[in-house]
Amino acid sequence: MGDRFTWTLIYTKALQSLAADSHADFLIRSQEEQHIAGAIYRAVREATRREVPLLAAGHTTAVQAARSLAERLAAEHQLTQVIYRNGARYPVQAWAEAATLAKSAVAYNAGTLNRAREAGVTYMQVFDGAGCGWTSDKDPGKATGSLRTVEDAAAWPISHPRCRRAFGPRPDVVAPG
């Protein structure tokens, strides 16, 4: 139109009103998302409390516990996918299996390490996948075959989901070398 635009009080008030209204909408949506996330967290926690003791007592395998956990979450809570912070979506069955396998591996390794401590063993030999790094698959320090202190092993009982890491006590080792 050829005229130069200037911010008048009417335009400023309209923009402030729009911003306040939008902020309120975003806040409500954010609170709804937090409520949904909290409900999902509680559902997972409740289902896990039912299934994990069976795994710990040896009445089921990790894969069976994961299947039961996923079925319970789908049936009782209509949870079919798990959405990670980065937006990636995974079927609840795959998530439950990875989570259950990881937790059972950590628990198994913790038991091994606790028993080694009780016996006065200070070094453990690591058994792991050939390409598995100590802290992650990308870690250049490979885990398998290495000797680690019980404390180091406790700090890294696994390095990734579905990790096959296990420890063997080495009472014959006082200091590696």
Side-chain angles (χ1 to χ4, degrees):
M1 295 204 274
D3 290 341
R4 186 164 186 249
F5 177 80
T6 56
W7 284 98
T8 64
L9 185 59
I10 291 174
Y11 294 132
T12 303
K13 293 267 187 203
L15 186 58
Q16 288 173 340
S17 175
L18 177 62
D21 188 47
S22 297
H23 178 73
D25 288 345
F26 288 132
L27 184 60
I28 289 169
R29 182 68 178 139
S30 173
Q31 289 169 340
E32 287 172 3
E33 290 293 330
Q34 288 176 352
H35 177 73
I36 291 167
I40 291 170
Y41 173 76
R42 287 187 297 280
V44 169
R45 190 175 60 206
E46 175 196 339
T48 302
R49 281 188 183 145
R50 292 182 192 173
E51 300 305 327
V52 171
L54 297 175
L55 174 64
H59 297 297
T60 185
T61 68
V63 173
Q64 290 169 330
R67 186 178 313 116
S68 183
L69 175 60
E71 288 170 359
R72 184 180 305 278
L73 290 171
E76 295 178 13
H77 305 284
Q78 293 72 47
L79 183 62
T80 58
Q81 290 185 339
V82 174
I83 304 170
Y84 283 52
R85 287 182 185 178
N86 67 359
R89 296 174 180 264
Y90 291 93
V92 73
Q93 175 65 38
W95 170 84
E97 190 171 301
T100 304
L101 289 171
K103 292 298 183 185
S104 64
V106 168
Y108 176 84
N109 286 338
T112 300
L113 296 170
N114 287 340
R115 183 64 191 109
R117 277 189 195 102
E118 289 172 1
V121 174
T122 56
Y123 281 90
M124 307 297 286
Q125 183 153 3
V126 182
F127 305 99
D128 210 337
C132 191
W134 179 241
T135 61
S136 70
D137 279 338
K138 294 178 181 180
D139 186 342
K142 300 304 175 197
T144 199
S146 66
L147 292 174
R148 305 288 176 154
T149 65
V150 172
E151 290 75 24
D152 286 345
W156 291 99
I158 63 173
S159 66
H160 57 83
R162 299 181 185 271
C163 189
R164 295 180 177 182
R165 181 169 295 167
F167 299 102
R170 290 293 304 270
D172 59 316
V173 177
V174 178

